[in-house]
Amino acid sequence: MRSPPRHPQLEVLYEDNHLLVVNKPAGLATMGLPQGQPTLLSVAKDYVAGKYGKTGNVYLGITSRLDAPVTGIVVLARTSKAAARLTEQFRTQVVEKVYWAIVEGRPQPDQAVWSDYLADAPRYRSVVVVPADTAGAQLAELEYRRLGRSGIDSMVEVRPRTGRKHQIRVQFAHRGHPLVGDIKYGSKRNFPHVALHARMLVVAHPTRDETMTFVAAAPESWKTLDLPPELRRTAFSIG
């Protein structure tokens, strides 16, 4: 039997003895698939094993996740101490997260804070906006600002204030502005994946008194979008 295909590349943004920071491609789940199916975690373990000649089990802890069709920064911990400390930073929401998204239409106003209550819809494997008193509802809050146009769509910068499942995708779709390519939440656009990118992440280094800022270039697929020249230059730069 042939071995299952492995993802051919891992774009490493930063690594040291405690951290491995990567720019996740679209279509690769962070973790949680049946054994033998490639995930970001398994690809990253292969990378560490190959680079450092490790023959036994490679430890990597997932401290942040992205949906499979979403691109951008994911931080993995190379030690259990780093994993615990980074996980606590995400849990207490002291991590600064910046996403870029291409959304259908033009959200109004051009800058705002949105607050909604979200709940799982297991039947549809999705998340929905619900009244605050719904059983299991969780508060979801984000801040956004419109950066410019992408044809008839808008490019927005999003700073989540909470970390709910599918939060950005659901909150924009709920207001009639699904993310381009997000078929699950109502997009009619032909795009190879969800146009949501984890652009920047700011964390405290788990063992050093140092603030770490990571920036990830947008995926090559975004080059097919009608971005203004100044946004196009910025999107594919990490400087």
Side-chain angles (χ1 to χ4, degrees):
M1 177 180 291
R2 295 177 59 188
S3 299
R6 310 298 289 180
H7 201 276
Q9 294 179 333
L10 186 71
E11 182 182 352
V12 177
L13 302 176
Y14 175 84
E15 64 179 306
D16 62 21
N17 291 336
H18 299 277
L19 298 177
L20 178 64
V21 184
V22 302
N23 186 4
K24 189 188 85 66
L28 189 65
T30 305
M31 59 183 297
L33 295 184
Q35 187 173 5
Q37 296 186 33
T39 63
L40 180 66
L41 181 60
S42 66
V43 171
K45 285 186 175 183
D46 287 349
Y47 164 81
V48 172
K51 181 172 182 178
Y52 298 101
K54 294 183 177 291
T55 56
N57 182 50
V58 173
Y59 176 85
L60 281 178
I62 296 289
T63 63
S64 63
R65 303 186 189 189
L66 293 176
D67 300 333
V70 174
T71 62
I73 300 170
V74 176
V75 177
L76 301 97
R78 294 190 59 196
T79 65
S80 58
K81 177 189 291 187
R85 292 179 177 177
L86 288 166
T87 298
E88 181 65 8
Q89 289 184 51
F90 281 97
R91 187 189 69 80
T92 56
Q93 299 175 15
V94 298
V95 175
E96 182 180 355
K97 297 178 284 186
V98 177
Y99 289 79
W100 281 352
I102 310 296
V103 304
E104 296 184 10
R106 180 170 182 168
Q108 297 291 339
D110 284 345
Q111 184 170 346
V113 174
W114 288 342
S115 296
D116 297 291
Y117 283 86
L118 308 184
D120 284 331
R123 179 179 178 183
Y124 302 103
R125 297 185 179 181
S126 63
V127 176
V128 293
V129 174
V130 296
D133 59 357
T134 302
Q138 293 182 307
L139 177 65
E141 192 170 78
L142 61 77
E143 176 184 357
Y144 78 88
R145 67 185 180 100
R146 185 173 180 268
L147 298 177
R149 293 179 58 189
S150 173
I152 61 174
D153 304 316
S154 298
M155 182 172 174
V156 295
E157 177 187 276
V158 185
R159 295 174 181 262
R161 296 184 176 182
T162 53
R164 307 306 182 197
K165 177 182 176 183
H166 294 187
Q167 173 179 343
I168 297 172
R169 300 165 64 183
V170 175
Q171 289 190 269
F172 275 91
H174 178 66
R175 290 167 173 83
H177 304 287
L179 276 60
V180 168
D182 197 355
I183 306 303
K184 179 185 287 287
Y185 290 108
S187 174
K188 301 297 190 293
R189 286 286 192 282
N190 182 21
F191 196 65
H193 58 87
V194 176
L196 178 62
H197 179 66
R199 169 66 174 181
M200 187 177 77
L201 192 69
V202 182
V203 299
H205 192 280
T207 63
R208 303 197 302 262
D209 184 17
E210 184 178 353
T211 298
M212 309 291 292
T213 300
F214 306 111
V215 179
E220 289 293 305
S221 57
W222 281 39
K223 291 182 177 178
T224 66
L225 298 169
D226 185 19
L227 300 178
E230 64 277 9
L231 290 180
R232 179 176 293 272
R233 286 191 296 269
T234 303
F236 300 104
S237 168
I238 58 173

